[in-house]
Amino acid sequence: DSYVFHLAAHQNISDSNRENFFRTNVLGTEMLLKACLEKKIRRLVCVSSIVIFKNTKKIERNEKWFLRDLKNNDYYVTTKLESLISTRKFYNSNKSALPLVTVFPSMVIDVDDFNASAPSTAPFLQRFLWEKVGGGVPGGIINLIGKGGRILNYVLMEDLVKGLLLAAEKGCSGEEYILGGANITAKNYLKLLVSKKRKKVFPFRIPVFPFKIIFLFNNIFKLPVIIAIIANSLSRDCFFSSKKAMSELGYNPKERL
């Protein structure tokens, strides 16, 4: 008997080829599900993401919250949605033979290695903006754009690893768990992160409307995928609870920025 953790995903926001996302995030998941069924493993832990859920607004939500529409311009989100739907269908057809748990991590932060989030293979301009505008911190640029009161949820790497192990050991087959940590505003998140690592981000907030205007020309010009993501998704709140994981798994995210 063995545990299998499915964390493989294609998440390159610079990639405009949807097929690359589909092959890894959907077809890859389906192949793994079939392989695990044949091998009679002890438990499979599939790692999804809270990005697949709809805007929570200012209300704390849990695993039962609504899923986002499949028709959006973020290929990572749409293929993770398709993967989740496919996983649920596969499990419902093989409940007795495939012990499976699904988890939804929030934004993952490794405070000991910010470079792990750096766009090292991206074009020079994107890397320059990440370092000089976003301060070289995870989510630096994205959380400078739009209203500072937007709520996000983050989990530190150490807590996520513990949560994954707990899901494998104690998770109930067929259940889904949010593995998050603190809920915080975008403005306060940046303030905490840059003070902890003594970094500097651009001192002014960047409005969303220029990106929305640029996106109007998306059908005429080949714009970077990130423009569509900013124009269509940045107003979303991600206000989530991990109470189910705490209650059923003993999950206890102690780490804070």
Side-chain angles (χ1 to χ4, degrees), residues 32-57:
L32 180 66
L33 289 168
K34 292 174 183 177
C36 288
L37 182 64
E38 293 174 1
K39 295 294 183 180
K40 296 181 170 41
I41 63 165
R42 186 172 182 178
R43 182 166 290 120
L44 168 62
V45 179
C46 282
V47 181
S48 184
S49 171
I50 61 168
V51 300
I52 55 93
F53 292 109
K54 282 189 174 181
N55 185 354
T56 63
K57 298 187 177 179

mmCIF file with all atom_site columns, all heavy atoms in Angstrom, residues 32-57:
data_model
loop_
_atom_site.group_PDB
_atom_site.id
_atom_site.type_symbol
_atom_site.label_atom_id
_atom_site.label_alt_id
_atom_site.label_comp_id
_atom_site.label_asym_id
_atom_site.label_entity_id
_atom_site.label_seq_id
_atom_site.pdbx_PDB_ins_code
_atom_site.Cartn_x
_atom_site.Cartn_y
_atom_site.Cartn_z
_atom_site.occupancy
_atom_site.B_iso_or_equiv
_atom_site.pdbx_formal_charge
_atom_site.auth_seq_id
_atom_site.auth_comp_id
_atom_site.auth_asym_id
_atom_site.auth_atom_id
_atom_site.pdbx_PDB_model_num
ATOM 1   N N   . LEU A 1 32 ? -3.533  9.566  -14.407 1.00 0.00 ? 32 LEU A N   1
ATOM 2   C CA  . LEU A 1 32 ? -3.111  9.197  -13.057 1.00 0.00 ? 32 LEU A CA  1
ATOM 3   C C   . LEU A 1 32 ? -4.234  8.486  -12.303 1.00 0.00 ? 32 LEU A C   1
ATOM 4   O O   . LEU A 1 32 ? -3.995  7.501  -11.587 1.00 0.00 ? 32 LEU A O   1
ATOM 5   C CB  . LEU A 1 32 ? -2.673  10.440 -12.285 1.00 0.00 ? 32 LEU A CB  1
ATOM 6   C CG  . LEU A 1 32 ? -2.201  10.181 -10.849 1.00 0.00 ? 32 LEU A CG  1
ATOM 7   C CD1 . LEU A 1 32 ? -0.916  9.361  -10.858 1.00 0.00 ? 32 LEU A CD1 1
ATOM 8   C CD2 . LEU A 1 32 ? -1.996  11.482 -10.105 1.00 0.00 ? 32 LEU A CD2 1
ATOM 9   N N   . LEU A 1 33 ? -5.463  8.953  -12.457 1.00 0.00 ? 33 LEU A N   1
ATOM 10  C CA  . LEU A 1 33 ? -6.601  8.315  -11.794 1.00 0.00 ? 33 LEU A CA  1
ATOM 11  C C   . LEU A 1 33 ? -6.713  6.850  -12.214 1.00 0.00 ? 33 LEU A C   1
ATOM 12  O O   . LEU A 1 33 ? -6.912  5.966  -11.370 1.00 0.00 ? 33 LEU A O   1
ATOM 13  C CB  . LEU A 1 33 ? -7.893  9.070  -12.142 1.00 0.00 ? 33 LEU A CB  1
ATOM 14  C CG  . LEU A 1 33 ? -8.070  10.454 -11.509 1.00 0.00 ? 33 LEU A CG  1
ATOM 15  C CD1 . LEU A 1 33 ? -9.230  11.189 -12.171 1.00 0.00 ? 33 LEU A CD1 1
ATOM 16  C CD2 . LEU A 1 33 ? -8.299  10.339 -10.010 1.00 0.00 ? 33 LEU A CD2 1
ATOM 17  N N   . LYS A 1 34 ? -6.584  6.594  -13.504 1.00 0.00 ? 34 LYS A N   1
ATOM 18  C CA  . LYS A 1 34 ? -6.688  5.223  -14.008 1.00 0.00 ? 34 LYS A CA  1
ATOM 19  C C   . LYS A 1 34 ? -5.535  4.360  -13.490 1.00 0.00 ? 34 LYS A C   1
ATOM 20  O O   . LYS A 1 34 ? -5.732  3.193  -13.126 1.00 0.00 ? 34 LYS A O   1
ATOM 21  C CB  . LYS A 1 34 ? -6.693  5.233  -15.539 1.00 0.00 ? 34 LYS A CB  1
ATOM 22  C CG  . LYS A 1 34 ? -7.946  5.863  -16.138 1.00 0.00 ? 34 LYS A CG  1
ATOM 23  C CD  . LYS A 1 34 ? -7.848  5.977  -17.662 1.00 0.00 ? 34 LYS A CD  1
ATOM 24  C CE  . LYS A 1 34 ? -9.080  6.675  -18.227 1.00 0.00 ? 34 LYS A CE  1
ATOM 25  N NZ  . LYS A 1 34 ? -8.974  6.872  -19.706 1.00 0.00 ? 34 LYS A NZ  1
ATOM 26  N N   . ALA A 1 35 ? -4.333  4.931  -13.450 1.00 0.00 ? 35 ALA A N   1
ATOM 27  C CA  . ALA A 1 35 ? -3.170  4.180  -12.966 1.00 0.00 ? 35 ALA A CA  1
ATOM 28  C C   . ALA A 1 35 ? -3.320  3.829  -11.487 1.00 0.00 ? 35 ALA A C   1
ATOM 29  O O   . ALA A 1 35 ? -3.007  2.708  -11.069 1.00 0.00 ? 35 ALA A O   1
ATOM 30  C CB  . ALA A 1 35 ? -1.900  4.994  -13.190 1.00 0.00 ? 35 ALA A CB  1
ATOM 31  N N   . CYS A 1 36 ? -3.812  4.783  -10.687 1.00 0.00 ? 36 CYS A N   1
ATOM 32  C CA  . CYS A 1 36 ? -3.990  4.541  -9.253  1.00 0.00 ? 36 CYS A CA  1
ATOM 33  C C   . CYS A 1 36 ? -5.069  3.494  -9.009  1.00 0.00 ? 36 CYS A C   1
ATOM 34  O O   . CYS A 1 36 ? -4.974  2.692  -8.068  1.00 0.00 ? 36 CYS A O   1
ATOM 35  C CB  . CYS A 1 36 ? -4.352  5.838  -8.540  1.00 0.00 ? 36 CYS A CB  1
ATOM 36  S SG  . CYS A 1 36 ? -2.974  7.006  -8.412  1.00 0.00 ? 36 CYS A SG  1
ATOM 37  N N   . LEU A 1 37 ? -6.094  3.494  -9.833  1.00 0.00 ? 37 LEU A N   1
ATOM 38  C CA  . LEU A 1 37 ? -7.156  2.496  -9.718  1.00 0.00 ? 37 LEU A CA  1
ATOM 39  C C   . LEU A 1 37 ? -6.602  1.093  -9.971  1.00 0.00 ? 37 LEU A C   1
ATOM 40  O O   . LEU A 1 37 ? -6.926  0.141  -9.250  1.00 0.00 ? 37 LEU A O   1
ATOM 41  C CB  . LEU A 1 37 ? -8.273  2.808  -10.719 1.00 0.00 ? 37 LEU A CB  1
ATOM 42  C CG  . LEU A 1 37 ? -9.496  1.886  -10.689 1.00 0.00 ? 37 LEU A CG  1
ATOM 43  C CD1 . LEU A 1 37 ? -10.223 1.992  -9.352  1.00 0.00 ? 37 LEU A CD1 1
ATOM 44  C CD2 . LEU A 1 37 ? -10.448 2.234  -11.839 1.00 0.00 ? 37 LEU A CD2 1
ATOM 45  N N   . GLU A 1 38 ? -5.745  0.974  -10.957 1.00 0.00 ? 38 GLU A N   1
ATOM 46  C CA  . GLU A 1 38 ? -5.159  -0.326 -11.295 1.00 0.00 ? 38 GLU A CA  1
ATOM 47  C C   . GLU A 1 38 ? -4.189  -0.821 -10.220 1.00 0.00 ? 38 GLU A C   1
ATOM 48  O O   . GLU A 1 38 ? -4.117  -2.018 -9.929  1.00 0.00 ? 38 GLU A O   1
ATOM 49  C CB  . GLU A 1 38 ? -4.428  -0.232 -12.639 1.00 0.00 ? 38 GLU A CB  1
ATOM 50  C CG  . GLU A 1 38 ? -5.342  0.014  -13.833 1.00 0.00 ? 38 GLU A CG  1
ATOM 51  C CD  . GLU A 1 38 ? -4.567  0.254  -15.115 1.00 0.00 ? 38 GLU A CD  1
ATOM 52  O OE1 . GLU A 1 38 ? -3.313  0.213  -15.055 1.00 0.00 ? 38 GLU A OE1 1
ATOM 53  O OE2 . GLU A 1 38 ? -5.203  0.488  -16.161 1.00 0.00 ? 38 GLU A OE2 1
ATOM 54  N N   . LYS A 1 39 ? -3.457  0.102  -9.602  1.00 0.00 ? 39 LYS A N   1
ATOM 55  C CA  . LYS A 1 39 ? -2.424  -0.273 -8.626  1.00 0.00 ? 39 LYS A CA  1
ATOM 56  C C   . LYS A 1 39 ? -2.967  -0.523 -7.227  1.00 0.00 ? 39 LYS A C   1
ATOM 57  O O   . LYS A 1 39 ? -2.238  -0.968 -6.339  1.00 0.00 ? 39 LYS A O   1
ATOM 58  C CB  . LYS A 1 39 ? -1.345  0.827  -8.564  1.00 0.00 ? 39 LYS A CB  1
ATOM 59  C CG  . LYS A 1 39 ? -0.548  0.996  -9.847  1.00 0.00 ? 39 LYS A CG  1
ATOM 60  C CD  . LYS A 1 39 ? 0.294   -0.237 -10.133 1.00 0.00 ? 39 LYS A CD  1
ATOM 61  C CE  . LYS A 1 39 ? 1.159   -0.035 -11.375 1.00 0.00 ? 39 LYS A CE  1
ATOM 62  N NZ  . LYS A 1 39 ? 1.979   -1.221 -11.663 1.00 0.00 ? 39 LYS A NZ  1
ATOM 63  N N   . LYS A 1 40 ? -4.256  -0.179 -7.011  1.00 0.00 ? 40 LYS A N   1
ATOM 64  C CA  . LYS A 1 40 ? -4.878  -0.385 -5.698  1.00 0.00 ? 40 LYS A CA  1
ATOM 65  C C   . LYS A 1 40 ? -4.076  0.298  -4.586  1.00 0.00 ? 40 LYS A C   1
ATOM 66  O O   . LYS A 1 40 ? -3.635  -0.344 -3.613  1.00 0.00 ? 40 LYS A O   1
ATOM 67  C CB  . LYS A 1 40 ? -5.025  -1.873 -5.397  1.00 0.00 ? 40 LYS A CB  1
ATOM 68  C CG  . LYS A 1 40 ? -5.972  -2.596 -6.352  1.00 0.00 ? 40 LYS A CG  1
ATOM 69  C CD  . LYS A 1 40 ? -6.112  -4.058 -5.992  1.00 0.00 ? 40 LYS A CD  1
ATOM 70  C CE  . LYS A 1 40 ? -7.208  -4.767 -6.757  1.00 0.00 ? 40 LYS A CE  1
ATOM 71  N NZ  . LYS A 1 40 ? -7.344  -4.458 -8.164  1.00 0.00 ? 40 LYS A NZ  1
ATOM 72  N N   . ILE A 1 41 ? -3.878  1.583  -4.741  1.00 0.00 ? 41 ILE A N   1
ATOM 73  C CA  . ILE A 1 41 ? -3.098  2.351  -3.762  1.00 0.00 ? 41 ILE A CA  1
ATOM 74  C C   . ILE A 1 41 ? -3.898  2.564  -2.475  1.00 0.00 ? 41 ILE A C   1
ATOM 75  O O   . ILE A 1 41 ? -5.113  2.384  -2.435  1.00 0.00 ? 41 ILE A O   1
ATOM 76  C CB  . ILE A 1 41 ? -2.687  3.721  -4.349  1.00 0.00 ? 41 ILE A CB  1
ATOM 77  C CG1 . ILE A 1 41 ? -3.927  4.557  -4.660  1.00 0.00 ? 41 ILE A CG1 1
ATOM 78  C CG2 . ILE A 1 41 ? -1.807  3.543  -5.565  1.00 0.00 ? 41 ILE A CG2 1
ATOM 79  C CD1 . ILE A 1 41 ? -3.628  6.001  -4.894  1.00 0.00 ? 41 ILE A CD1 1
ATOM 80  N N   . ARG A 1 42 ? -3.189  2.996  -1.451  1.00 0.00 ? 42 ARG A N   1
ATOM 81  C CA  . ARG A 1 42 ? -3.838  3.222  -0.151  1.00 0.00 ? 42 ARG A CA  1
ATOM 82  C C   . ARG A 1 42 ? -4.720  4.462  -0.174  1.00 0.00 ? 42 ARG A C   1
ATOM 83  O O   . ARG A 1 42 ? -5.833  4.460  0.309   1.00 0.00 ? 42 ARG A O   1
ATOM 84  C CB  . ARG A 1 42 ? -2.761  3.368  0.934   1.00 0.00 ? 42 ARG A CB  1
ATOM 85  C CG  . ARG A 1 42 ? -3.313  3.453  2.335   1.00 0.00 ? 42 ARG A CG  1
ATOM 86  C CD  . ARG A 1 42 ? -2.179  3.386  3.339   1.00 0.00 ? 42 ARG A CD  1
ATOM 87  N NE  . ARG A 1 42 ? -2.669  3.424  4.702   1.00 0.00 ? 42 ARG A NE  1
ATOM 88  C CZ  . ARG A 1 42 ? -1.880  3.348  5.782   1.00 0.00 ? 42 ARG A CZ  1
ATOM 89  N NH1 . ARG A 1 42 ? -0.578  3.230  5.619   1.00 0.00 ? 42 ARG A NH1 1
ATOM 90  N NH2 . ARG A 1 42 ? -2.394  3.389  6.981   1.00 0.00 ? 42 ARG A NH2 1
ATOM 91  N N   . ARG A 1 43 ? -4.213  5.540  -0.746  1.00 0.00 ? 43 ARG A N   1
ATOM 92  C CA  . ARG A 1 43 ? -5.031  6.746  -0.919  1.00 0.00 ? 43 ARG A CA  1
ATOM 93  C C   . ARG A 1 43 ? -4.357  7.697  -1.906  1.00 0.00 ? 43 ARG A C   1
ATOM 94  O O   . ARG A 1 43 ? -3.141  7.845  -1.903  1.00 0.00 ? 43 ARG A O   1
ATOM 95  C CB  . ARG A 1 43 ? -5.263  7.475  0.406   1.00 0.00 ? 43 ARG A CB  1
ATOM 96  C CG  . ARG A 1 43 ? -6.161  8.720  0.279   1.00 0.00 ? 43 ARG A CG  1
ATOM 97  C CD  . ARG A 1 43 ? -6.665  9.227  1.620   1.00 0.00 ? 43 ARG A CD  1
ATOM 98  N NE  . ARG A 1 43 ? -7.629  8.310  2.193   1.00 0.00 ? 43 ARG A NE  1
ATOM 99  C CZ  . ARG A 1 43 ? -7.475  7.704  3.376   1.00 0.00 ? 43 ARG A CZ  1
ATOM 100 N NH1 . ARG A 1 43 ? -6.397  7.930  4.097   1.00 0.00 ? 43 ARG A NH1 1
ATOM 101 N NH2 . ARG A 1 43 ? -8.389  6.876  3.834   1.00 0.00 ? 43 ARG A NH2 1
ATOM 102 N N   . LEU A 1 44 ? -5.187  8.345  -2.729  1.00 0.00 ? 44 LEU A N   1
ATOM 103 C CA  . LEU A 1 44 ? -4.721  9.367  -3.667  1.00 0.00 ? 44 LEU A CA  1
ATOM 104 C C   . LEU A 1 44 ? -5.178  10.727 -3.172  1.00 0.00 ? 44 LEU A C   1
ATOM 105 O O   . LEU A 1 44 ? -6.357  10.926 -2.884  1.00 0.00 ? 44 LEU A O   1
ATOM 106 C CB  . LEU A 1 44 ? -5.302  9.106  -5.061  1.00 0.00 ? 44 LEU A CB  1
ATOM 107 C CG  . LEU A 1 44 ? -5.140  10.232 -6.105  1.00 0.00 ? 44 LEU A CG  1
ATOM 108 C CD1 . LEU A 1 44 ? -3.663  10.505 -6.390  1.00 0.00 ? 44 LEU A CD1 1
ATOM 109 C CD2 . LEU A 1 44 ? -5.874  9.871  -7.394  1.00 0.00 ? 44 LEU A CD2 1
ATOM 110 N N   . VAL A 1 45 ? -4.233  11.652 -3.053  1.00 0.00 ? 45 VAL A N   1
ATOM 111 C CA  . VAL A 1 45 ? -4.550  13.024 -2.669  1.00 0.00 ? 45 VAL A CA  1
ATOM 112 C C   . VAL A 1 45 ? -4.375  13.908 -3.901  1.00 0.00 ? 45 VAL A C   1
ATOM 113 O O   . VAL A 1 45 ? -3.258  14.109 -4.380  1.00 0.00 ? 45 VAL A O   1
ATOM 114 C CB  . VAL A 1 45 ? -3.650  13.529 -1.517  1.00 0.00 ? 45 VAL A CB  1
ATOM 115 C CG1 . VAL A 1 45 ? -3.999  14.975 -1.167  1.00 0.00 ? 45 VAL A CG1 1
ATOM 116 C CG2 . VAL A 1 45 ? -3.799  12.638 -0.295  1.00 0.00 ? 45 VAL A CG2 1
ATOM 117 N N   . CYS A 1 46 ? -5.486  14.408 -4.433  1.00 0.00 ? 46 CYS A N   1
ATOM 118 C CA  . CYS A 1 46 ? -5.446  15.295 -5.596  1.00 0.00 ? 46 CYS A CA  1
ATOM 119 C C   . CYS A 1 46 ? -5.421  16.744 -5.131  1.00 0.00 ? 46 CYS A C   1
ATOM 120 O O   . CYS A 1 46 ? -6.275  17.166 -4.336  1.00 0.00 ? 46 CYS A O   1
ATOM 121 C CB  . CYS A 1 46 ? -6.658  15.064 -6.488  1.00 0.00 ? 46 CYS A CB  1
ATOM 122 S SG  . CYS A 1 46 ? -6.525  13.603 -7.529  1.00 0.00 ? 46 CYS A SG  1
ATOM 123 N N   . VAL A 1 47 ? -4.465  17.498 -5.622  1.00 0.00 ? 47 VAL A N   1
ATOM 124 C CA  . VAL A 1 47 ? -4.303  18.889 -5.214  1.00 0.00 ? 47 VAL A CA  1
ATOM 125 C C   . VAL A 1 47 ? -4.903  19.817 -6.267  1.00 0.00 ? 47 VAL A C   1
ATOM 126 O O   . VAL A 1 47 ? -4.396  19.911 -7.384  1.00 0.00 ? 47 VAL A O   1
ATOM 127 C CB  . VAL A 1 47 ? -2.819  19.233 -4.980  1.00 0.00 ? 47 VAL A CB  1
ATOM 128 C CG1 . VAL A 1 47 ? -2.674  20.682 -4.534  1.00 0.00 ? 47 VAL A CG1 1
ATOM 129 C CG2 . VAL A 1 47 ? -2.222  18.292 -3.931  1.00 0.00 ? 47 VAL A CG2 1
ATOM 130 N N   . SER A 1 48 ? -5.975  20.489 -5.910  1.00 0.00 ? 48 SER A N   1
ATOM 131 C CA  . SER A 1 48 ? -6.612  21.463 -6.795  1.00 0.00 ? 48 SER A CA  1
ATOM 132 C C   . SER A 1 48 ? -6.171  22.864 -6.348  1.00 0.00 ? 48 SER A C   1
ATOM 133 O O   . SER A 1 48 ? -5.004  23.059 -6.013  1.00 0.00 ? 48 SER A O   1
ATOM 134 C CB  . SER A 1 48 ? -8.139  21.304 -6.746  1.00 0.00 ? 48 SER A CB  1
ATOM 135 O OG  . SER A 1 48 ? -8.755  22.167 -7.669  1.00 0.00 ? 48 SER A OG  1
ATOM 136 N N   . SER A 1 49 ? -7.070  23.818 -6.283  1.00 0.00 ? 49 SER A N   1
ATOM 137 C CA  . SER A 1 49 ? -6.724  25.182 -5.866  1.00 0.00 ? 49 SER A CA  1
ATOM 138 C C   . SER A 1 49 ? -8.002  25.952 -5.569  1.00 0.00 ? 49 SER A C   1
ATOM 139 O O   . SER A 1 49 ? -9.054  25.693 -6.171  1.00 0.00 ? 49 SER A O   1
ATOM 140 C CB  . SER A 1 49 ? -5.939  25.899 -6.976  1.00 0.00 ? 49 SER A CB  1
ATOM 141 O OG  . SER A 1 49 ? -5.787  27.271 -6.668  1.00 0.00 ? 49 SER A OG  1
ATOM 142 N N   . ILE A 1 50 ? -7.927  26.929 -4.674  1.00 0.00 ? 50 ILE A N   1
ATOM 143 C CA  . ILE A 1 50 ? -9.120  27.731 -4.388  1.00 0.00 ? 50 ILE A CA  1
ATOM 144 C C   . ILE A 1 50 ? -9.450  28.682 -5.537  1.00 0.00 ? 50 ILE A C   1
ATOM 145 O O   . ILE A 1 50 ? -10.525 29.290 -5.530  1.00 0.00 ? 50 ILE A O   1
ATOM 146 C CB  . ILE A 1 50 ? -9.006  28.541 -3.070  1.00 0.00 ? 50 ILE A CB  1
ATOM 147 C CG1 . ILE A 1 50 ? -7.835  29.532 -3.130  1.00 0.00 ? 50 ILE A CG1 1
ATOM 148 C CG2 . ILE A 1 50 ? -8.899  27.631 -1.870  1.00 0.00 ? 50 ILE A CG2 1
ATOM 149 C CD1 . ILE A 1 50 ? -7.866  30.551 -1.990  1.00 0.00 ? 50 ILE A CD1 1
ATOM 150 N N   . VAL A 1 51 ? -8.578  28.800 -6.538  1.00 0.00 ? 51 VAL A N   1
ATOM 151 C CA  . VAL A 1 51 ? -8.876  29.688 -7.668  1.00 0.00 ? 51 VAL A CA  1
ATOM 152 C C   . VAL A 1 51 ? -10.072 29.203 -8.470  1.00 0.00 ? 51 VAL A C   1
ATOM 153 O O   . VAL A 1 51 ? -10.636 29.955 -9.266  1.00 0.00 ? 51 VAL A O   1
ATOM 154 C CB  . VAL A 1 51 ? -7.666  29.872 -8.607  1.00 0.00 ? 51 VAL A CB  1
ATOM 155 C CG1 . VAL A 1 51 ? -6.490  30.483 -7.872  1.00 0.00 ? 51 VAL A CG1 1
ATOM 156 C CG2 . VAL A 1 51 ? -7.286  28.565 -9.285  1.00 0.00 ? 51 VAL A CG2 1
ATOM 157 N N   . ILE A 1 52 ? -10.485 27.940 -8.264  1.00 0.00 ? 52 ILE A N   1
ATOM 158 C CA  . ILE A 1 52 ? -11.608 27.401 -9.036  1.00 0.00 ? 52 ILE A CA  1
ATOM 159 C C   . ILE A 1 52 ? -12.957 27.852 -8.468  1.00 0.00 ? 52 ILE A C   1
ATOM 160 O O   . ILE A 1 52 ? -13.994 27.623 -9.085  1.00 0.00 ? 52 ILE A O   1
ATOM 161 C CB  . ILE A 1 52 ? -11.539 25.865 -9.136  1.00 0.00 ? 52 ILE A CB  1
ATOM 162 C CG1 . ILE A 1 52 ? -11.450 25.212 -7.757  1.00 0.00 ? 52 ILE A CG1 1
ATOM 163 C CG2 . ILE A 1 52 ? -10.340 25.441 -9.964  1.00 0.00 ? 52 ILE A CG2 1
ATOM 164 C CD1 . ILE A 1 52 ? -12.740 24.830 -7.171  1.00 0.00 ? 52 ILE A CD1 1
ATOM 165 N N   . PHE A 1 53 ? -12.946 28.502 -7.301  1.00 0.00 ? 53 PHE A N   1
ATOM 166 C CA  . PHE A 1 53 ? -14.190 28.956 -6.691  1.00 0.00 ? 53 PHE A CA  1
ATOM 167 C C   . PHE A 1 53 ? -14.558 30.374 -7.125  1.00 0.00 ? 53 PHE A C   1
ATOM 168 O O   . PHE A 1 53 ? -13.689 31.189 -7.442  1.00 0.00 ? 53 PHE A O   1
ATOM 169 C CB  . PHE A 1 53 ? -14.082 28.928 -5.162  1.00 0.00 ? 53 PHE A CB  1
ATOM 170 C CG  . PHE A 1 53 ? -13.999 27.553 -4.581  1.00 0.00 ? 53 PHE A CG  1
ATOM 171 C CD1 . PHE A 1 53 ? -12.810 27.087 -4.031  1.00 0.00 ? 53 PHE A CD1 1
ATOM 172 C CD2 . PHE A 1 53 ? -15.099 26.711 -4.581  1.00 0.00 ? 53 PHE A CD2 1
ATOM 173 C CE1 . PHE A 1 53 ? -12.717 25.816 -3.488  1.00 0.00 ? 53 PHE A CE1 1
ATOM 174 C CE2 . PHE A 1 53 ? -15.023 25.442 -4.043  1.00 0.00 ? 53 PHE A CE2 1
ATOM 175 C CZ  . PHE A 1 53 ? -13.834 24.989 -3.494  1.00 0.00 ? 53 PHE A CZ  1
ATOM 176 N N   . LYS A 1 54 ? -15.853 30.664 -7.095  1.00 0.00 ? 54 LYS A N   1
ATOM 177 C CA  . LYS A 1 54 ? -16.344 31.990 -7.457  1.00 0.00 ? 54 LYS A CA  1
ATOM 178 C C   . LYS A 1 54 ? -15.932 33.037 -6.426  1.00 0.00 ? 54 LYS A C   1
ATOM 179 O O   . LYS A 1 54 ? -15.485 32.715 -5.326  1.00 0.00 ? 54 LYS A O   1
ATOM 180 C CB  . LYS A 1 54 ? -17.876 31.975 -7.579  1.00 0.00 ? 54 LYS A CB  1
ATOM 181 C CG  . LYS A 1 54 ? -18.390 31.383 -8.874  1.00 0.00 ? 54 LYS A CG  1
ATOM 182 C CD  . LYS A 1 54 ? -19.897 31.608 -9.003  1.00 0.00 ? 54 LYS A CD  1
ATOM 183 C CE  . LYS A 1 54 ? -20.393 31.143 -10.371 1.00 0.00 ? 54 LYS A CE  1
ATOM 184 N NZ  . LYS A 1 54 ? -21.845 31.378 -10.535 1.00 0.00 ? 54 LYS A NZ  1
ATOM 185 N N   . ASN A 1 55 ? -16.128 34.293 -6.800  1.00 0.00 ? 55 ASN A N   1
ATOM 186 C CA  . ASN A 1 55 ? -15.879 35.423 -5.917  1.00 0.00 ? 55 ASN A CA  1
ATOM 187 C C   . ASN A 1 55 ? -16.649 35.235 -4.609  1.00 0.00 ? 55 ASN A C   1
ATOM 188 O O   . ASN A 1 55 ? -17.869 35.059 -4.606  1.00 0.00 ? 55 ASN A O   1
ATOM 189 C CB  . ASN A 1 55 ? -16.355 36.697 -6.634  1.00 0.00 ? 55 ASN A CB  1
ATOM 190 C CG  . ASN A 1 55 ? -16.035 37.958 -5.862  1.00 0.00 ? 55 ASN A CG  1
ATOM 191 O OD1 . ASN A 1 55 ? -15.551 37.919 -4.734  1.00 0.00 ? 55 ASN A OD1 1
ATOM 192 N ND2 . ASN A 1 55 ? -16.306 39.103 -6.466  1.00 0.00 ? 55 ASN A ND2 1
ATOM 193 N N   . THR A 1 56 ? -15.932 35.271 -3.489  1.00 0.00 ? 56 THR A N   1
ATOM 194 C CA  . THR A 1 56 ? -16.592 35.110 -2.188  1.00 0.00 ? 56 THR A CA  1
ATOM 195 C C   . THR A 1 56 ? -17.171 36.421 -1.680  1.00 0.00 ? 56 THR A C   1
ATOM 196 O O   . THR A 1 56 ? -17.910 36.437 -0.703  1.00 0.00 ? 56 THR A O   1
ATOM 197 C CB  . THR A 1 56 ? -15.602 34.603 -1.136  1.00 0.00 ? 56 THR A CB  1
ATOM 198 O OG1 . THR A 1 56 ? -14.576 35.588 -0.948  1.00 0.00 ? 56 THR A OG1 1
ATOM 199 C CG2 . THR A 1 56 ? -14.964 33.290 -1.560  1.00 0.00 ? 56 THR A CG2 1
ATOM 200 N N   . LYS A 1 57 ? -16.788 37.521 -2.340  1.00 0.00 ? 57 LYS A N   1
ATOM 201 C CA  . LYS A 1 57 ? -17.091 38.873 -1.844  1.00 0.00 ? 57 LYS A CA  1
ATOM 202 C C   . LYS A 1 57 ? -16.516 38.999 -0.440  1.00 0.00 ? 57 LYS A C   1
ATOM 203 O O   . LYS A 1 57 ? -15.400 38.564 -0.208  1.00 0.00 ? 57 LYS A O   1
ATOM 204 C CB  . LYS A 1 57 ? -18.575 39.161 -1.960  1.00 0.00 ? 57 LYS A CB  1
ATOM 205 C CG  . LYS A 1 57 ? -19.032 39.117 -3.428  1.00 0.00 ? 57 LYS A CG  1
ATOM 206 C CD  . LYS A 1 57 ? -20.440 39.549 -3.632  1.00 0.00 ? 57 LYS A CD  1
ATOM 207 C CE  . LYS A 1 57 ? -20.764 39.537 -5.128  1.00 0.00 ? 57 LYS A CE  1
ATOM 208 N NZ  . LYS A 1 57 ? -22.160 39.930 -5.402  1.00 0.00 ? 57 LYS A NZ  1
#
